[in-house]
Each structure stands twice: as structure tokens, then as C-alpha cells.
Amino acid sequence: MHTKTLLIVSTVLLAGCSGSPTAPTTERAGSSGSALTGPAASAQANEAAQASAANVNITDLREHGWTCVPTPIPGKTICSHPHQGLPVFGNPPPDDRPATYSFLVFDGSGTFIGTEILIRTNLYHGQLCESSGQPYVFRPPIGYYECVHTVGN
């Protein structure tokens, strides 16, 4: 792996493990909390640009402990940083789920698309996805709202 790629992956790992709203938290359902807006959303867009510039790929991420899985949406793979986990399918979702998740997103050919943030339903209050300017998309099978920050947006 190139030094530059390793540096970017390390940066993404550290950003993903920080206390920022782009990282999963241990906050419980029913607790108050804030959803991703303003500077935190801009930081996520910046993370997408950095990962893209480093040519981050699924194979390298897996070699460094990331979990990469295809999503129910055909042609899309998400990568979750080590120790973050993935959302649980269920209706209703469990009460003890994280407030947010942050993933790297790839298309069916393994090309990096951007970053994805999931916000728990009780924390989403109509915020707009900074990348698209549209509301987050509700994903009923997991009970989270989704925003994808694509490279360049």
C-alpha cells in the first residue's frame, strides 16, 4: 500500500473514531442528541474527497480490519471502520442502537463513490443532506435516515 493511501486510511479511521457526529456513539434511543449539520457535514464531504484522492479501495480497507459488505441496494458496497459494526435489520430497530453510523461507499465495480452517514430516526429532524441539498432518505429496514456525500459534492 502506498504511504499516501495508508495516511488517508489512517486519517479516515481516526475521523471515524472521534467524538464527532459523523462517528457512531453509544447514545441510547430516546436520549437527546444532535444530527449531522454544518461543519460536521462539511467534514464528511472533505473525508470523501481525501479518500478519493488516496485511491482507497475495498481490498486495502479489508486488509486493515474494515468490514465491507454489499448493501440491499444493488451495485453498492459499504465499508465500516473497525469496531463500528453495521446497522441491524428489524422493525422496530433495537433501542440500544448507535445514534449514527459513518461508512465509505463503493459502486459495483469497486470505485469509491463517497461517504455515507446514517442518523437514527429520533435524531433526524428534516436536516438536508449537504451533498444533494435534499432531505435524507429513510431506510425502513434499518430505521435510519441516510445521506451520501459523493466525491466532489
Side-chain angles (χ1 to χ4, degrees):
M1 177 185 281
H2 300 294
T3 303
K4 183 178 177 184
T5 302
L6 182 56
L7 175 63
I8 296 301
V9 170
S10 298
T11 301
V12 172
L13 278 169
L14 290 173
C17 296
S18 71
S20 76
T22 61
T25 66
T26 56
E27 183 180 332
R28 303 290 180 218
S31 302
S32 65
S34 63
L36 187 65
T37 58
S42 295
Q44 185 186 16
N46 185 45
E47 182 179 295
Q50 288 178 345
S52 178
N55 296 315
V56 172
N57 65 68
I58 294 170
T59 301
D60 289 343
L61 292 173
R62 283 184 174 144
E63 288 175 2
H64 287 87
W66 290 60
T67 301
C68 298
V69 297
T71 68
I73 298 169
K76 180 178 166 186
T77 297
I78 58 169
C79 291
S80 174
H81 63 78
H83 311 295
Q84 174 181 244
L86 298 165
V88 188
F89 284 87
N91 191 7
D95 288 337
D96 64 347
R97 63 201 169 116
T100 63
Y101 283 96
S102 180
F103 303 113
L104 297 183
V105 184
F106 298 84
D107 68 15
S109 67
T111 301
F112 179 72
I113 297 172
T115 56
E116 176 181 296
I117 184 77
L118 297 178
I119 299 175
R120 201 171 56 206
T121 51
N122 66 319
L123 299 176
Y124 180 73
H125 303 291
Q127 301 90 324
L128 298 180
C129 178
E130 188 175 288
S131 180
S132 68
Q134 300 297 312
Y136 284 44
V137 176
F138 183 58
R139 301 294 183 202
I142 57 173
Y144 282 85
Y145 283 87
E146 171 194 62
C147 172
V148 176
H149 284 263
T150 55
V151 177
N153 290 329

